[in-house]
Amino acid sequence: MKDKNKQKRQLTIRRQRRTRAKIEGTAVKPRVSVFRSLAHISVQAIDDVKAVTLVASNDKELKATKKNKTEIAALVGEAFGKKLADKKIVSIIFDKGAYKYHGRIKALADGIRKQGIKF
């Protein structure tokens, strides 16, 4: 019998590959990849053609304290949206990876949309 953690990791990788097989980012419309751990959240805009990160942001850059994780994710989304706007990027492809689109991931996406970025 397989180790449960190994089996869960394999299912996560399968979900990531299924999501990323359908999307590809460019310099004009980058892929925005989200990473969520138990304590933190980070996001980066990736140009898959050149394999380079254009913009990145995480919750460690913020000085927000006394907020829950969902509120912090929304603030990270807003800060990331500002960085994208500064780089003159107005449209993105949102890559949620293996995560469900709810909670912190949805709050992050709404924060990015609040800055006028389309996806």
Side-chain angles (χ1 to χ4, degrees), residues 7-39:
Q7 194 172 17
K8 281 173 66 173
R9 182 66 187 145
Q10 286 176 343
L11 290 173
T12 300
I13 290 170
R14 185 185 297 171
R15 284 193 305 271
Q16 284 175 339
R17 285 187 183 150
R18 185 171 56 229
T19 302
R20 292 192 181 133
K22 301 169 188 171
I23 58 177
E24 182 179 21
T26 62
V28 178
K29 192 171 182 176
R31 175 174 61 96
V32 172
S33 179
V34 178
F35 176 74
R36 175 182 58 90
S37 72
L38 288 176

